[in-house]
Amino acid sequence: MRSYAPFCCNQLYVLPASAVEQWRKTEKVVVDPENPIVLQFMVLALNIERSKHTVTKQDGQSQEKDMPGNPTQVLAGFAATLDYDRIPPRAREYCKVLLLDALACAVAGHQGEETKQIAAFASALAQSHESSVIAGDALSLAGATLLNAYLITAVTMCDAHRATLTHVTPEVVPPALGIAERDGLSGRDLLVALAAGCEVTTRIGIGLDYPVFRARGWHGPGILGPFGAATAVGRLLRFDGETMARAFGLAGGQAAGTFAAWGTPSVKFHQCRGALSGLMAALLAQQGFLATKEFLTAKDGGLYNTYTNGGKPDAAIEGLGERWELEQIALRQWPSSSTLQGLIAAMLELVEKHAVNSGQVRRIRVSLGKELYDMHGIFADYKGKFEALLSTNYIAAVILHDRELTLAQFEPQRYSDPTLKRFAAEKVEVTQDSSLTGVQVVIQAETAEGRTIKLQCDTPPGSAETPLTLAQVEAKFRTYAKTRLSGARVEEVIGAVSRLEGLGNVRSLMDALRLQ
């Protein structure tokens, strides 16, 4: 049995470890009031123990140290205590951009090929109708969370944290909206919850050692997403750090998804299932259900020791609250994979600035780094909408022909056009270039008259280096929302998001988003 033995006045007082553990949890210790000397030395010993786990800031206030080896509790404590004033203005504003972009993607998601299947499944989960579907009707809390998450990712237009190839808003936004609507919470509450959820998701992700994680076949959204969803819900439900850590443990027990699903809509299901998993984890933790509070670094079965090689847990908490990893979440200006946004930018530059059209082109050569080539160089003979969205060949071909890229280019009558399919297969050559990294892409167009035009894109619009502006995201929302919402409703939603911290009740936002 472990004990603590402080020395003073040449006397030894042995303190049981149970007393120390009791103090750690409650900062209270039951002692014998008839023995004040023992009490004095117990307080002395416990203050020494406390000093190991606290630091004093310049303003004299104490705060918990980042305990080495236990990022689960550090992140849980951060999320549980986060408030509006601790979020820098730039991060707050970016959270609004992320929210509006997610809503734009969700409205567009009603055009997804598999959306009706997911809607039927979500409806079957429960028969209540207390939660709003974005640009739809109402379902149960679970059903709306699942369907809203799928809508955000349905047409391959949502965000991506490129360091971990993880889509974040499909998992974080829907359960947060559901709880905020159910409980009549404020826009400020929602904003803080979104910041906490996005930051925890991306922070856990950068602790993975992503290349090792990816080499084992794991797909980030279904693994990291449940933590972000649980965080956002837990913050709205006012979890303390211990309850939040248990929610992480319950979320981790549902973390799943591999690249075996690549090229099929199952990769999008990873995201909506991740949102629902995080919601369930938080609601179960709210009931006091026991779970490990050290899931990330547990030696047997912990995230970092099972899904990767031990990871880089210190990276997950380094600069926490000072540097905001959520600002590294990239957005998409065009439908298609987040990793092909550079290709789209380069192709549009080719047709707009160099006045090249499909009739002039003898061959297009597209060079990608190894990771992008493995993901997107394999769909020369694309079949169906989702493969077209992922196909380097199709995207290059259709931009040359149509001089734009919208959801209209991914309708069956367009991607099935025989002339376009033949051009994509025969005149677009996709090669691997080991000198290219990340989302870098090089295109080289050879024209019939002998011209060669070479373009390179390193940082496409929407990346952390060149983020989309609020005005651009507002335009994106207007483009897709006008098919399901009135003009007045569209502007009402944009206004509510732009002034989110002043919104008295999230229900007004959700009412504006209901299908008319």
Side-chain angles (χ1 to χ4, degrees):
M1 180 177 181
R2 187 180 177 190
S3 61
Y4 293 79
F7 285 88
C8 188
C9 301
N10 298 321
Q11 298 187 54
L12 175 65
Y13 291 90
V14 179
L15 307 181
S18 60
V20 176
E21 284 301 310
Q22 182 185 13
W23 175 87
R24 281 178 176 168
K25 292 179 180 179
T26 66
E27 298 195 10
K28 297 178 182 177
V29 177
V30 177
V31 296
D32 182 0
E34 301 297 322
N35 198 337
I37 297 178
V38 172
L39 172 61
Q40 175 183 348
F41 285 108
M42 286 188 74
V43 171
L44 172 64
L46 294 174
N47 282 337
I48 293 171
E49 178 68 13
R50 180 177 186 176
S51 70
K52 297 176 183 177
H53 298 282
T54 60
V55 294
T56 301
K57 299 188 291 185
Q58 289 182 351
D59 60 7
Q61 297 178 347
S62 64
Q63 63 179 10
E64 289 293 310
K65 279 183 181 177
D66 291 347
M67 299 179 187
N70 192 8
T72 309
Q73 292 191 28
V74 175
L75 289 169
F78 165 80
T81 59
L82 184 65
D83 59 40
Y84 178 83
D85 292 331
R86 289 172 56 195
I87 306 171
R90 190 171 77 170
R92 290 180 209 154
E93 293 305 309
Y94 199 56
C95 285
K96 297 178 193 178
V97 171
L98 291 173
L99 173 58
L100 187 60
D101 186 79
L103 296 178
C105 295
V107 176
H110 286 277
Q111 301 179 47
E113 280 189 324
E114 313 85 20
T115 296
K116 290 183 178 178
Q117 296 169 316
I118 296 293
F121 172 50
S123 179
L125 284 176
Q127 299 305 307
S128 58
H129 297 86
E130 70 272 20
S131 295
S132 297
V133 173
I134 298 167
D137 295 318
L139 289 173
S140 65
L141 175 60
T145 294
L146 186 81
L147 180 54
N148 284 335
Y150 198 84
L151 287 172
I152 294 172
T153 188
V155 292
T156 319
M157 284 173 50
C158 68
D159 70 277
H161 180 240
R162 290 206 171 118
T164 58
L165 287 183
T166 293
H167 309 295
V168 178
T169 60
E171 296 92 331
V172 173
V173 170
L177 288 176
I179 293 297
E181 180 185 28
R182 185 196 69 177
D183 295 351
L185 301 176
S186 70
R188 180 173 290 216
D189 292 328
L190 176 62
L191 179 58
V192 173
L194 294 177
C198 291
E199 189 67 9
V200 166
T201 304
T202 53
R203 283 277 177 173
I204 292 176
I206 60 175
L208 279 171
D209 193 349
Y210 183 77
V212 177
F213 174 85
R214 175 64 187 90
R216 296 184 180 186
W218 297 116
H219 184 229
I223 292 169
L224 300 174
F227 295 101
T231 298
V233 173
R235 186 65 193 86
L236 290 168
L237 296 177
R238 303 291 192 270
F239 283 2
D240 59 22
E242 183 172 336
T243 307
M244 189 73 80
R246 290 203 310 270
F248 287 4
L250 291 165
Q254 304 172 78
T258 74
F259 267 90
W262 182 248
T264 76
S266 295
V267 293
K268 295 184 281 188
F269 180 71
H270 292 172
Q271 296 161 56
C272 67
R273 193 273 310 157
L276 182 59
S277 292
L279 173 67
M280 292 193 297
L283 294 179
L284 189 54
Q286 185 185 29
Q287 302 305 313
F289 196 87
L290 293 180
T292 177
K293 293 180 287 184
E294 298 186 5
F295 185 84
L296 297 180
T297 53
K299 291 183 178 179
D300 187 4
L303 183 77
Y304 291 154
N305 288 314
T306 303
Y307 292 74
T308 182
N309 59 353
K312 300 176 179 179
D314 289 346
I317 57 177
E318 183 180 358
L320 184 63
E322 298 173 1
R323 183 188 63 79
W324 287 77
E325 184 64 22
L326 66 82
E327 293 179 356
Q328 299 302 308
I329 298 173
L331 301 180
R332 294 183 236 194
Q333 191 164 354
W334 306 282
S336 181
S337 171
S338 63
T339 43
L340 289 181
Q341 297 296 294
L343 168 65
I344 300 167
M347 288 301 304
L348 288 172
E349 181 179 349
L350 179 68
V351 300
E352 292 170 359
K353 293 185 178 181
H354 296 273
V356 174
N357 61 51
S358 59
Q360 298 172 304
V361 171
R362 187 170 63 84
R363 177 169 295 276
I364 287 280
R365 180 176 291 108
V366 181
S367 299
L368 306 171
K370 182 182 186 309
E371 186 173 18
L372 265 65
Y373 180 83
D374 290 345
M375 294 173 66
H376 300 294
I378 58 176
F379 297 113
D381 183 23
Y382 52 88
K383 297 178 178 66
K385 178 182 285 190
F386 191 48
E387 287 193 6
L389 283 159
L390 301 178
S391 171
T392 301
N393 297 71
Y394 176 71
I395 288 167
V398 77
I399 291 176
L400 270 175
H401 282 77
D402 295 359
R403 309 179 70 81
E404 64 176 354
L405 192 71
T406 69
L407 287 179
Q409 277 66 51
F410 296 99
E411 289 301 309
Q413 63 270 26
R414 192 66 190 117
Y415 64 71
S416 299
D417 179 81
T419 301
L420 193 55
K421 286 183 71 73
R422 187 166 54 252
F423 188 101
E426 297 176 1
K427 292 194 174 184
V428 179
E429 178 186 356
V430 185
T431 64
Q432 180 180 321
D433 184 341
S434 60
S435 70
L436 300 176
T437 60
V439 296
Q440 287 181 313
V441 62
V442 175
I443 63 169
Q444 184 170 300
E446 300 172 8
T447 68
E449 62 267 26
R451 281 197 303 159
T452 298
I453 303 168
K454 186 175 182 180
L455 300 171
Q456 179 166 339
C457 182
D458 296 325
T459 54
S463 62
E465 297 84 0
T466 54
L468 296 185
T469 65
L470 179 58
Q472 288 175 303
V473 176
E474 288 175 350
K476 182 177 178 179
F477 182 76
R478 289 188 180 99
T479 296
Y480 295 107
K482 65 184 180 183
T483 62
R484 298 187 69 87
L485 303 175
S486 69
R489 288 278 191 91
V490 169
E491 298 308 316
E492 183 180 350
V493 171
I494 290 173
V497 173
S498 68
R499 299 183 295 274
L500 190 60
E501 55 268 85
L503 190 67
N505 194 321
V506 171
R507 289 174 184 165
S508 62
L509 171 63
M510 301 311 291
D511 287 345
L513 283 164
R514 287 278 188 99
L515 181 65
Q516 295 170 286

